[in-house]
Each structure stands twice: as structure tokens, then as C-alpha cells.
């Protein structure tokens, strides 16, 4: 049951402009929402939660550049350490398999950043009531992507990527850096970086954190 008092909320995003936007949104509804902490990384978020007396909801970005604290691992830790805190995930993801991976952890309220202000309040309320919420564009993505397609994302990716792009991703999946891959393949760092960026564009990934998540969950070594 939703509390009659304002909900205590912590926000986490590595982009200051997103945090500013979310804070402004919460400030517009002080009777419903109260900001009690903010963080710019997964590590900071865990520190804030440890030091904050009461938190109802965490609103967190899925793909923060956080030196190894990847999105799924962070969500898993939040669920383990703070099972009573509700979680709303903000994301730019367009990969159905990753969205399913988030849901599989029991995090069922996911908001696309493009419709943040329109859908955030609905997602918070759904989280408090332990109900699922997906932004319309994410719901459409899942509806249009069959389970077979989701489960075979690796095969689908390989069908649209060039052999050299696949080769580069396999090396990245193994933990190698761009400079190391360039040395092994006797190519320039610029060439390897270009292959990496082209592969990310084809996969609908916009930053290294999203790429890391994709490789860990949907791409074999």
C-alpha cells in the first residue's frame, strides 16, 4: 500500500543533466516525492544507501560508466542488500534481451529516458505497488521481439556484423583493450576503434557500459 507521506527517493545517474532533470521533476511534487540522496555511479549509490536512514525508491540509470560496476551486477546487489527498496530503472537500451535480463532480476519498472518526465511518476507508483511498468516504446519493443529472437540475439548480431567486427567484439568480450587487440591483429588502434563503433551502432548500443552488458549476456567468447 502506498504511504500517505512523501516517498523517500534516491537517484543515480552518471549524467548530471539527467540528475538535474529528475530532481526538478521530483521537486515539482513535494507532497508525493522527497529526494534524500543522489549518486553519479553504482559505487556511490551503494554508499548513499548505506548511510541513508530510510529509502522507499531508487531511481537508477542502467548503464553508468562505473569502472566495472555493470548494470546487472548493480541491480543484483541492490536486490540482495536492500530487498525492501523499490527500483525504477532509467535506460536508453533498445536491446530486448537486456531488458528481459533486468526483468529477470525482479526489477520490473523500466523507463526510457526519452519519455522520462511523462512516465516517471507512473513508474514510481507502480514500483511502490509492486506492479510492472514499461515505457510504451519498451513495451512495444518486447511485443515486437519474439522469445526466439531474444534468445538468439547473439546469432542475430553475427548476421548483421562483419567478420572483423565480430572478431573485435570477441576480443573485447575476453577482456582485452582496444590497444591490445590492435597489437594482436596487427592493425591500428583507429581501425579497431572504428570497428567497435560500427558494431555498436548496428547493435543499437550507445556507450561502453551498454556494450559491456551486451557482450556479457548475449555474445559468446
Amino acid at each position: 500500500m502506498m504511504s500517505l507521506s512523501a516517498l523517500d527517493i534516491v537517484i543515480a545517474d552518471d549524467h548530471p543533466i539527467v540528475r538535474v532533470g529528475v530532481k526538478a521533476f521530483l521537486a515539482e511534487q513535494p507532497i508525493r516525492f522527497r529526494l534524500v540522496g543522489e549518486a553519479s555511479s553504482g559505487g556511490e549509490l551503494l554508499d548513499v544507501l548505506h548511510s541513508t536512514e530510510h529509502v522507499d525508491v531508487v531511481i537508477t540509470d542502467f548503464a553508468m560508466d562505473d569502472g566495472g560496476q555493470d548494470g546487472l551486477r548493480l541491480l543484483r546487489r541492490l536486490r540482495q542488500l536492500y530487498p525492501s527498496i523499490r527500483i525504477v530503472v532509467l535506460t536508453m537500451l533498445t536491446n530486448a534481451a537486456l531488458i528481459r535480463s533486468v526483468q529477470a532480476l525482479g526489477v520490473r519498472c523500466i523507463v526510457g529516458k526519452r519519455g522520462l518526465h511523462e512516465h516517471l511518476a507512473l513508474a514510481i507508483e507502480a514500483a511502490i505497488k509492486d506492479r510492472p511498468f514499461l515505457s510504451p516504446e519498451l513495451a512495444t519493443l518486447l511485443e515486437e521481439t519474439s522469445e526466439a529472437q531474444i534468445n538468439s540475439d547473439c546469432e542475430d548480431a553475427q548476421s548483421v556484423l562483419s567478420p572483423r567486427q565480430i572478431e573485435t567484439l570477441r576480443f573485447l568480450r575476453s577482456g582485452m583493450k582496444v590497444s591490445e587487440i590492435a597489437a594482436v591483429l596487427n592493425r591500428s588502434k583507429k581501425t579497431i576503434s572504428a570497428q567497435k563503433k560500427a558494431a555498436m551502432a548496428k547493435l543499437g548500443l550507445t556507450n561502453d557500459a551498454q556494450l559491456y552488458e551486451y557482450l556479457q549476456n548475449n555474445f559468446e567468447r
Side-chain angles (χ1 to χ4, degrees):
M1 181 179 296
M2 184 178 292
S3 171
L4 296 178
S5 60
L7 297 171
D8 291 332
I9 295 177
V10 170
I11 61 175
D13 198 292
D14 58 344
H15 293 94
I17 191 170
V18 175
R19 296 200 306 275
V20 168
V22 174
K23 286 192 291 185
F25 173 81
L26 298 177
E28 291 173 356
Q29 305 181 66
I31 296 178
R32 301 171 68 191
F33 309 127
R34 177 171 53 239
L35 180 68
V36 295
E38 65 177 291
S40 61
S41 70
E44 283 187 15
L45 173 57
L46 293 173
D47 289 341
V48 169
L49 293 177
H50 179 72
S51 61
T52 304
E53 183 176 352
H54 180 262
V55 178
D56 292 301
V57 180
V58 166
I59 302 172
T60 180
D61 185 16
F62 176 73
M64 291 184 280
D65 293 325
D66 194 22
Q69 186 74 256
D70 67 80
L72 291 178
R73 185 179 296 116
L74 174 62
L75 293 176
R76 191 176 293 111
R77 290 200 68 190
L78 291 175
R79 294 281 292 166
Q80 291 172 346
L81 296 174
Y82 304 99
S84 65
I85 294 178
R86 306 304 188 186
I87 301 172
V88 174
V89 168
L90 309 181
T91 186
M92 292 291 288
L93 287 177
T94 57
N95 183 282
L98 283 181
I99 294 172
R100 287 293 194 208
S101 296
V102 172
Q103 292 177 320
L105 293 176
V107 179
R108 301 188 298 161
C109 295
I110 309 172
V111 179
K113 288 187 177 180
R114 291 185 178 89
L116 184 62
H117 287 78
E118 183 179 357
H119 302 125
L120 184 55
L122 295 174
I124 294 172
E125 292 177 2
I128 286 296
K129 295 177 180 178
D130 198 24
R131 296 176 180 172
F133 180 89
L134 281 176
S135 292
E137 72 274 15
L138 299 181
T140 299
L141 174 66
L142 292 185
E143 288 173 2
E144 294 178 349
T145 308
S146 69
E147 290 298 324
Q149 287 175 305
I150 292 174
N151 293 333
S152 63
D153 264 2
C154 177
E155 296 176 6
D156 292 341
Q158 293 187 27
S159 71
V160 299
L161 299 177
S162 73
R164 288 199 169 187
Q165 289 166 354
I166 293 173
E167 183 180 45
T168 296
L169 292 187
R170 289 193 187 282
F171 279 119
L172 289 169
R173 174 68 174 82
S174 72
M176 294 177 66
K177 299 178 181 179
V178 168
S179 58
E180 295 171 333
I181 299 171
V184 168
L185 298 178
N186 195 28
R187 299 175 197 157
S188 69
K189 288 176 59 177
K190 183 177 180 180
T191 296
I192 299 301
S193 293
Q195 291 167 352
K196 172 188 169 185
K197 290 179 180 178
M200 289 174 65
K202 289 181 179 180
L203 295 171
L205 307 174
T206 59
N207 58 45
D208 284 347
Q210 290 183 9
L211 176 62
Y212 176 82
E213 292 290 350
Y214 182 84
L215 295 179
Q216 290 294 316
N217 294 284
N218 301 287
F219 207 93
E220 297 179 357
R221 294 179 188 230

